[in-house]
Amino acid sequence: KTHDPILLFVSRLLDADTARDASALYAWCRRLDEITDDPSSDVATIQQRLSDWERRFDMICRNEPVDDMDRALAMYIQRNDDLELSPFVDMISGMKEDTVQNRTISNMAELDEYAYQVAGTVGLMLLPLLNANVEQSRDAAIALGKAIQLINILRDASPDVALGRVYLPQDMLKAEGVSTEDVLQLKSSPEYRKVVAAVADHAEALLIEAEIAKSTLPGVGPLFVQIIVELYRQYLIKLEQIGYDNLNLSGERVKINTIQKLMASFKATTKVLTQQ
Protein backbone atom coordinates (compact mmCIF):
# COMPACT_ATOMS: atom_id res chain seq x y z
CA LYS A 1 0.00 0.00 0.00
CA THR A 2 1.34 3.43 0.95
CA HIS A 3 4.52 1.84 2.24
CA ASP A 4 5.91 1.91 -1.31
CA PRO A 5 8.77 4.44 -1.69
CA ILE A 6 6.77 7.02 -3.68
CA LEU A 7 7.02 9.60 -0.89
CA LEU A 8 10.72 8.92 -0.40
CA PHE A 9 11.24 9.25 -4.14
CA VAL A 10 9.56 12.64 -4.35
CA SER A 11 11.67 13.86 -1.43
CA ARG A 12 14.78 13.49 -3.60
CA LEU A 13 13.33 15.90 -6.16
CA LEU A 14 12.59 18.66 -3.67
CA ASP A 15 14.51 21.25 -1.69
CA ALA A 16 15.57 20.40 1.86
CA ASP A 17 12.63 21.99 3.69
CA THR A 18 10.01 20.49 1.38
CA ALA A 19 11.76 17.11 1.44
CA ARG A 20 11.44 17.16 5.22
CA ASP A 21 7.68 17.49 4.84
CA ALA A 22 7.62 14.59 2.36
CA SER A 23 9.51 12.50 4.90
CA ALA A 24 6.95 13.41 7.58
CA LEU A 25 4.15 12.25 5.29
CA TYR A 26 6.01 9.05 4.49
CA ALA A 27 6.58 8.29 8.17
CA TRP A 28 2.90 8.78 9.00
CA CYS A 29 1.73 6.57 6.12
CA ARG A 30 4.36 3.91 6.83
CA ARG A 31 3.42 3.62 10.48
CA LEU A 32 -0.27 3.36 9.59
CA ASP A 33 0.56 0.63 7.07
CA GLU A 34 2.58 -1.28 9.65
CA ILE A 35 -0.32 -1.20 12.11
CA THR A 36 -2.67 -2.70 9.52
CA ASP A 37 -0.29 -5.41 8.32
CA ASP A 38 1.16 -6.45 11.68
CA PRO A 39 1.28 -10.27 11.46
CA SER A 40 1.70 -10.63 15.23
CA SER A 41 -1.62 -8.94 16.09
CA ASP A 42 -5.16 -10.28 15.85
CA VAL A 43 -8.02 -8.44 14.14
CA ALA A 44 -9.43 -6.93 17.34
CA THR A 45 -6.03 -5.55 18.35
CA ILE A 46 -5.44 -4.00 14.92
CA GLN A 47 -8.91 -2.43 14.92
CA GLN A 48 -8.23 -0.89 18.32
CA ARG A 49 -4.82 0.40 17.21
CA LEU A 50 -6.39 2.00 14.12
CA SER A 51 -8.99 3.73 16.28
CA ASP A 52 -6.17 4.98 18.50
CA TRP A 53 -4.30 6.17 15.40
CA GLU A 54 -7.39 8.09 14.26
CA ARG A 55 -7.60 9.85 17.63
CA ARG A 56 -3.87 10.51 17.43
CA PHE A 57 -4.34 12.22 14.06
CA ASP A 58 -7.01 14.43 15.63
CA MET A 59 -4.38 15.42 18.21
CA ILE A 60 -1.92 16.24 15.42
CA CYS A 61 -4.54 18.51 13.83
CA ARG A 62 -4.94 20.27 17.20
CA ASN A 63 -1.13 20.65 17.34
CA GLU A 64 -0.84 18.20 20.23
CA PRO A 65 1.70 15.73 18.79
CA VAL A 66 2.68 12.62 20.72
CA ASP A 67 6.23 12.27 19.36
CA ASP A 68 8.72 13.90 17.00
CA MET A 69 7.26 12.23 13.91
CA ASP A 70 3.80 13.49 14.78
CA ARG A 71 5.29 16.92 15.44
CA ALA A 72 6.86 17.00 11.96
CA LEU A 73 3.47 16.23 10.37
CA ALA A 74 1.75 18.84 12.54
CA MET A 75 4.25 21.44 11.30
CA TYR A 76 3.57 20.43 7.69
CA ILE A 77 -0.16 20.83 8.21
CA GLN A 78 0.32 24.23 9.82
CA ARG A 79 2.52 25.46 6.96
CA ASN A 80 0.07 24.43 4.22
CA ASP A 81 -3.36 26.02 4.44
CA ASP A 82 -4.44 24.34 1.19
CA LEU A 83 -3.66 20.85 2.49
CA GLU A 84 -6.89 18.88 2.80
CA LEU A 85 -7.24 16.77 5.92
CA SER A 86 -9.90 14.46 4.49
CA PRO A 87 -7.35 12.27 2.62
CA PHE A 88 -5.75 11.33 5.95
CA VAL A 89 -9.13 10.31 7.35
CA ASP A 90 -9.99 8.47 4.12
CA MET A 91 -6.73 6.53 4.31
CA ILE A 92 -7.47 5.36 7.83
CA SER A 93 -10.94 4.28 6.68
CA GLY A 94 -9.40 2.26 3.87
CA MET A 95 -7.01 0.56 6.28
CA LYS A 96 -9.93 -0.34 8.55
CA GLU A 97 -11.49 -2.21 5.62
CA ASP A 98 -8.54 -4.61 5.73
CA THR A 99 -9.09 -5.57 9.37
CA VAL A 100 -11.38 -8.52 8.67
CA GLN A 101 -10.89 -12.22 8.24
CA ASN A 102 -10.69 -13.27 4.57
CA ARG A 103 -10.72 -9.78 3.04
CA THR A 104 -12.42 -9.62 -0.36
CA ILE A 105 -13.60 -6.93 -2.81
CA SER A 106 -17.05 -7.17 -4.41
CA ASN A 107 -16.53 -5.38 -7.73
CA MET A 108 -14.35 -2.92 -9.64
CA ALA A 109 -16.15 0.10 -8.19
CA GLU A 110 -15.31 -1.08 -4.67
CA LEU A 111 -11.72 -1.78 -5.71
CA ASP A 112 -11.43 1.73 -7.17
CA GLU A 113 -12.74 3.23 -3.92
CA TYR A 114 -10.28 1.19 -1.86
CA ALA A 115 -7.42 2.18 -4.18
CA TYR A 116 -8.37 5.83 -3.68
CA GLN A 117 -8.50 5.44 0.10
CA VAL A 118 -5.11 3.83 0.58
CA ALA A 119 -3.15 5.40 -2.30
CA GLY A 120 -5.08 8.06 -4.21
CA THR A 121 -5.08 9.94 -0.92
CA VAL A 122 -1.27 10.01 -1.02
CA GLY A 123 -1.45 11.88 -4.31
CA LEU A 124 -3.64 14.53 -2.71
CA MET A 125 -1.30 14.80 0.27
CA LEU A 126 1.62 15.43 -2.09
CA LEU A 127 0.05 18.28 -4.08
CA PRO A 128 1.03 21.08 -1.65
CA LEU A 129 4.62 19.77 -1.68
CA LEU A 130 4.68 20.21 -5.45
CA ASN A 131 3.18 23.74 -5.21
CA ALA A 132 0.31 22.48 -7.35
CA ASN A 133 -3.11 24.00 -7.87
CA VAL A 134 -5.07 21.42 -5.89
CA GLU A 135 -8.27 21.72 -7.91
CA GLN A 136 -6.52 21.53 -11.28
CA SER A 137 -4.30 18.59 -10.31
CA ARG A 138 -6.73 16.61 -8.13
CA ASP A 139 -7.84 14.11 -10.78
CA ALA A 140 -4.29 13.37 -11.95
CA ALA A 141 -3.07 12.87 -8.37
CA ILE A 142 -5.88 10.47 -7.57
CA ALA A 143 -5.47 8.57 -10.85
CA LEU A 144 -1.75 8.08 -10.25
CA GLY A 145 -2.27 6.90 -6.69
CA LYS A 146 -5.02 4.48 -7.70
CA ALA A 147 -2.92 3.06 -10.52
CA ILE A 148 -0.02 2.47 -8.13
CA GLN A 149 -2.30 0.66 -5.70
CA LEU A 150 -3.90 -1.55 -8.34
CA ILE A 151 -0.48 -2.52 -9.69
CA ASN A 152 0.79 -3.24 -6.19
CA ILE A 153 -2.25 -5.46 -5.63
CA LEU A 154 -1.32 -7.40 -8.76
CA ARG A 155 2.33 -7.58 -7.66
CA ASP A 156 1.45 -8.68 -4.12
CA ALA A 157 -1.12 -11.37 -4.86
CA SER A 158 0.88 -14.15 -3.19
CA PRO A 159 1.82 -12.20 -0.04
CA ASP A 160 -1.78 -11.01 0.27
CA VAL A 161 -3.06 -14.59 0.01
CA ALA A 162 -0.82 -15.43 2.97
CA LEU A 163 -2.75 -12.76 4.91
CA GLY A 164 -6.11 -14.14 3.74
CA ARG A 165 -6.72 -11.25 1.34
CA VAL A 166 -8.03 -11.47 -2.23
CA TYR A 167 -8.34 -8.03 -3.78
CA LEU A 168 -9.43 -9.04 -7.29
CA PRO A 169 -13.15 -8.23 -7.77
CA GLN A 170 -15.32 -11.15 -6.73
CA ASP A 171 -17.86 -10.57 -9.49
CA MET A 172 -15.14 -10.80 -12.15
CA LEU A 173 -13.67 -13.94 -10.60
CA LYS A 174 -17.08 -15.60 -10.37
CA ALA A 175 -17.87 -14.69 -13.99
CA GLU A 176 -14.76 -16.69 -14.95
CA GLY A 177 -15.64 -19.60 -12.66
CA VAL A 178 -12.87 -18.80 -10.16
CA SER A 179 -13.61 -19.08 -6.44
CA THR A 180 -11.92 -17.28 -3.56
CA GLU A 181 -10.75 -20.66 -2.32
CA ASP A 182 -9.05 -21.27 -5.67
CA VAL A 183 -7.04 -18.06 -5.22
CA LEU A 184 -6.22 -18.81 -1.59
CA GLN A 185 -4.85 -22.16 -2.77
CA LEU A 186 -2.68 -20.33 -5.34
CA LYS A 187 -4.44 -21.90 -8.33
CA SER A 188 -3.41 -19.74 -11.27
CA SER A 189 -5.79 -20.92 -13.97
CA PRO A 190 -6.21 -19.28 -17.40
CA GLU A 191 -9.52 -17.90 -16.11
CA TYR A 192 -7.84 -16.36 -13.07
CA ARG A 193 -5.12 -14.81 -15.23
CA LYS A 194 -7.82 -13.28 -17.44
CA VAL A 195 -9.11 -11.32 -14.44
CA VAL A 196 -5.54 -10.23 -13.58
CA ALA A 197 -5.16 -8.96 -17.15
CA ALA A 198 -8.42 -7.00 -16.94
CA VAL A 199 -7.35 -5.25 -13.74
CA ALA A 200 -3.95 -4.56 -15.31
CA ASP A 201 -5.70 -2.90 -18.27
CA HIS A 202 -7.64 -0.71 -15.86
CA ALA A 203 -4.42 0.27 -14.10
CA GLU A 204 -2.82 1.19 -17.43
CA ALA A 205 -5.80 3.42 -18.24
CA LEU A 206 -5.26 5.24 -14.94
CA LEU A 207 -1.54 5.63 -15.70
CA ILE A 208 -2.44 7.20 -19.04
CA GLU A 209 -4.89 9.56 -17.32
CA ALA A 210 -2.18 10.72 -14.91
CA GLU A 211 0.36 10.98 -17.74
CA ILE A 212 -1.89 13.22 -19.83
CA ALA A 213 -2.69 15.50 -16.89
CA LYS A 214 0.88 15.85 -15.60
CA SER A 215 1.19 19.28 -17.24
CA THR A 216 -1.12 20.70 -14.56
CA LEU A 217 1.79 20.39 -12.12
CA PRO A 218 4.49 23.06 -11.81
CA GLY A 219 8.25 22.64 -11.49
CA VAL A 220 9.45 19.05 -11.11
CA GLY A 221 5.86 17.78 -10.93
CA PRO A 222 5.63 16.53 -14.54
CA LEU A 223 8.97 14.72 -14.23
CA PHE A 224 7.92 13.15 -10.94
CA VAL A 225 4.65 11.88 -12.44
CA GLN A 226 6.26 10.59 -15.63
CA ILE A 227 8.96 8.66 -13.76
CA ILE A 228 6.37 7.02 -11.51
CA VAL A 229 4.21 6.21 -14.56
CA GLU A 230 7.11 4.59 -16.41
CA LEU A 231 8.30 2.66 -13.36
CA TYR A 232 4.88 1.19 -12.67
CA ARG A 233 4.27 0.55 -16.36
CA GLN A 234 7.31 -1.73 -16.19
CA TYR A 235 5.49 -3.85 -13.62
CA LEU A 236 2.55 -4.19 -16.01
CA ILE A 237 4.94 -5.23 -18.76
CA LYS A 238 6.49 -7.79 -16.40
CA LEU A 239 3.04 -9.15 -15.54
CA GLU A 240 2.23 -9.51 -19.24
CA GLN A 241 5.55 -11.28 -19.86
CA ILE A 242 4.77 -13.90 -17.21
CA GLY A 243 1.29 -14.44 -18.61
CA TYR A 244 -0.38 -12.62 -15.70
CA ASP A 245 0.54 -15.52 -13.43
CA ASN A 246 1.08 -13.54 -10.22
CA LEU A 247 0.52 -16.44 -7.81
CA ASN A 248 3.59 -18.38 -6.76
CA LEU A 249 4.36 -20.88 -4.03
CA SER A 250 7.34 -18.86 -2.78
CA GLY A 251 5.00 -16.05 -1.72
CA GLU A 252 7.12 -13.38 -3.39
CA ARG A 253 5.82 -10.27 -5.10
CA VAL A 254 6.32 -9.52 -8.80
CA LYS A 255 9.54 -7.51 -9.24
CA ILE A 256 11.54 -5.64 -11.85
CA ASN A 257 15.32 -5.30 -11.82
CA THR A 258 17.53 -2.24 -11.39
CA ILE A 259 18.25 -1.94 -15.12
CA GLN A 260 14.52 -1.84 -15.86
CA LYS A 261 14.07 0.87 -13.24
CA LEU A 262 16.92 2.94 -14.71
CA MET A 263 15.55 2.55 -18.22
CA ALA A 264 12.10 3.63 -17.05
CA SER A 265 13.58 6.74 -15.42
CA PHE A 266 15.55 7.56 -18.58
CA LYS A 267 12.47 7.11 -20.75
CA ALA A 268 10.45 9.37 -18.46
CA THR A 269 13.09 12.09 -18.50
CA THR A 270 13.25 11.94 -22.29
CA LYS A 271 9.48 12.21 -22.58
CA VAL A 272 9.34 15.26 -20.30
CA LEU A 273 12.25 17.01 -22.02
CA THR A 274 10.68 16.44 -25.43
CA GLN A 275 7.21 17.23 -24.03
CA GLN A 276 5.67 13.97 -25.17
Side-chain angles (χ1 to χ4, degrees), residues 47-225:
Q47 289 174 339
Q48 181 58 55
R49 291 180 68 191
L50 286 174
S51 294
D52 293 342
W53 193 256
E54 195 167 22
R55 286 190 289 272
R56 186 163 166 170
F57 179 67
D58 289 338
M59 294 176 66
I60 291 173
C61 294
R62 297 195 304 269
N63 197 23
E64 299 173 5
V66 173
D67 59 20
D68 288 342
M69 289 191 223
D70 284 1
R71 186 170 294 106
L73 182 61
M75 292 175 63
Y76 172 54
I77 291 172
Q78 290 174 358
R79 282 194 295 268
N80 291 275
D81 293 335
D82 56 345
L83 176 66
E84 298 178 5
L85 300 181
S86 57
F88 294 88
V89 178
D90 290 342
M91 180 178 285
I92 295 173
S93 296
M95 297 296 186
K96 286 181 176 179
E97 294 295 324
D98 280 338
T99 59
V100 295
Q101 297 282 355
N102 301 320
R103 169 77 159 119
T104 59
I105 297 283
S106 297
N107 49 48
M108 186 65 81
E110 185 178 330
L111 181 58
D112 266 336
E113 175 63 16
Y114 173 72
Y116 158 72
Q117 288 176 318
V118 300
T121 50
V122 178
L124 295 179
M125 294 174 192
L126 283 170
L127 290 179
L129 290 177
L130 298 171
N131 295 316
N133 182 303
V134 175
E135 290 307 314
Q136 287 183 356
S137 303
R138 172 184 297 274
D139 290 345
I142 292 175
L144 182 60
K146 287 168 59 177
I148 289 170
Q149 179 60 21
L150 292 182
I151 294 168
N152 282 338
I153 283 173
L154 298 180
R155 294 174 62 204
D156 291 339
S158 292
D160 283 336
V161 162
L163 295 171
R165 299 171 182 171
V166 178
Y167 289 107
L168 292 181
Q170 289 292 302
D171 62 343
M172 296 173 67
L173 290 172
K174 289 178 182 177
E176 296 297 331
V178 179
S179 69
T180 301
E181 190 60 29
D182 290 334
V183 182
L184 292 175
Q185 292 179 5
L186 300 177
K187 294 180 179 179
S188 183
S189 64
E191 292 77 17
Y192 167 82
R193 295 195 295 271
K194 184 177 178 181
V195 177
V196 175
V199 175
D201 287 344
H202 183 48
E204 172 61 23
L206 288 168
L207 287 179
I208 291 172
E209 181 180 342
E211 189 174 27
I212 291 172
K214 69 179 182 292
S215 60
T216 63
L217 296 169
V220 299
L223 177 60
F224 164 66
V225 169

Side-chain angles (χ1 to χ4, degrees), residues 218-263:
V220 299
L223 177 60
F224 164 66
V225 169
Q226 194 65 54
I227 290 177
I228 295 298
V229 165
E230 297 299 340
L231 283 172
Y232 276 83
R233 189 167 277 148
Q234 285 297 312
Y235 291 117
L236 293 179
I237 292 171
K238 178 67 173 182
L239 282 163
E240 184 178 14
Q241 289 173 343
I242 63 175
Y244 298 105
D245 181 4
N246 62 351
L247 295 176
N248 59 78
L249 296 177
S250 68
E252 294 183 354
R253 68 189 326 208
V254 175
K255 300 177 181 178
I256 60 175
N257 59 42
T258 301
I259 293 177
Q260 289 170 307
K261 292 177 181 178
L262 290 173
M263 290 299 294

